[in-house]
Amino acid sequence: MEKKIIVANWKANKTREEAKAWVDVFSAAAFPSKPIQVVICPPVVHLFEVYRQLKTASFPFPVTVGVQNLSPYPGGTYTGEVTASMVRGVATHVILGHSERRQWFSETPQQVALAVDQALEHQITPIVSVDRTNWRLQLAQFDDQTIRQILLMYEPPEAISEQIGPIGRGQTADLTDIEDMIGLLSKAYGNTRVLYGGSVKSANVKPFLESALVSGVVVGTASMEVHEFIRLISQV
Ligand code: PGA
């Protein structure tokens, strides 16, 4: 059975101390072995510290770190950018084209495609977020071979937890909608791996992960409180 991927997206939350306290509790939790991989995506400023801290703990399944964005550029005179080469060997995954970035930072499909190329060049698996209205446009830059190397994330913007920002309305998608969307993506691109994101929590995660079509989940709000995230993992 393919491992289900559980991604924690902390978004722009947590001080250095809060990040450390979260990892302390997470590392001390007694997890049984499960067919999962957990990817923790802290704000990039905490990436290396979280990585080092996790390295000293042991888990019965892979726990890696990822980033929430990467530069479309390889490096150079791009003030403020974090490039794939800077996090190579540490970040296993990168979330790209999140609806919050498309909306608040005006990211275009072209920029997302360039960042995907950068990530792949540095052996970082891109998780590319799409929605039902715009997925054709959002994925138009990719050929079939690239699509097969990336993880897609289906996240209806209205499904994002409302307490985080003005995009979300906390309307979790139902499994029929998610499976239907995965069907559309598979029809267009063949065998794709698709994660679901949008108000996933310990109370509703089970059916998503039990679906043979869903490769995993991206968890925002429910990953920020460590006990809730531990509870969520326990549902698998
Ligand atoms: P949410 O966010 O779980 O808080 O809805 C998920 C995401 O947008 O990554």
Side-chain angles (χ1 to χ4, degrees):
M1 188 175 122
E2 210 188 354
K3 279 194 184 107
K4 299 279 178 170
I5 301 168
I6 302 178
V7 181
N9 176 13
W10 291 357
K11 308 194 179 187
N13 291 285
K14 293 198 188 300
T15 62
R16 196 174 166 190
E17 292 74 24
E18 287 166 347
K20 182 180 181 310
W22 190 104
V23 181
D24 279 342
V25 175
F26 188 75
S27 303
F31 293 109
S33 163
K34 292 163 189 287
I36 58 170
Q37 168 172 13
V38 175
V39 184
I40 299 163
C41 300
V44 71
V45 70
H46 303 320
L47 181 77
F48 294 91
E49 223 158 293
V50 168
Y51 171 76
R52 268 195 296 270
Q53 219 183 326
L54 287 169
K55 266 229 165 294
T56 63
S58 76
F59 300 97
F61 41 77
V63 178
T64 65
V65 290
V67 282
Q68 301 169 18
N69 186 37
L70 277 179
S71 178
Y73 303 111
T77 51
Y78 301 103
T79 301
E81 289 292 85
V82 173
T83 67
S85 61
M86 294 173 192
V87 299
R88 179 195 180 113
V90 171
T92 55
H93 292 72
V94 55
I95 302 169
L96 291 171
H98 193 285
S99 58
E100 289 157 2
R101 294 211 57 83
R102 295 186 197 269
Q103 169 116 1
W104 307 123
F105 303 97
S106 310
E107 273 184 9
T108 64
Q110 289 77 8
Q111 288 170 322
V112 173
L114 288 173
V116 164
D117 287 345
Q118 286 300 314
L120 290 174
E121 200 181 312
H122 292 280
Q123 286 84 53
I124 300 166
T125 303
I127 300 170
V128 177
S129 184
V130 298
D131 62 59
R132 187 177 277 276
T133 316
N134 302 302
W135 65 273
R136 283 189 181 80
L137 185 68
Q138 289 163 337
L139 297 176
Q141 308 289 320
F142 301 111
D143 56 27
D144 288 5
Q145 204 207 331
T146 308
I147 293 274
R148 275 191 289 276
Q149 291 175 271
I150 69 186
L151 282 167
L152 296 175
M153 164 188 178
Y154 171 46
E155 182 170 78
E158 65 278 7
I160 299 174
S161 302
E162 52 194 329
Q163 58 270 48
I164 283 190
I167 296 182
R169 274 183 263 134
Q171 297 164 356
T172 319
D174 61 36
L175 190 57
T176 328
D177 171 61
I178 297 165
E179 290 184 335
D180 179 70
M181 185 66 203
I182 295 175
L184 289 178
L185 291 166
S186 304
K187 228 191 198 144
Y189 298 107
N191 222 352
T192 50
R193 286 182 303 156
V194 187
L195 312 179
Y196 168 70
S199 296
V200 177
K201 39 187 171 272
S202 62
N204 65 13
V205 70
K206 228 176 160 47
F208 301 138
L209 291 178
E210 279 172 2
S211 164
L213 299 182
V214 180
S215 292
V217 288
V218 179
V219 187
T221 304
S223 74
M224 287 169 212
E225 205 285 298
V226 65
H227 296 287
E228 164 61 0
F229 191 60
I230 292 169
R231 253 194 318 274
L232 185 147
I233 291 175
S234 314
Q235 298 302 311
V236 187

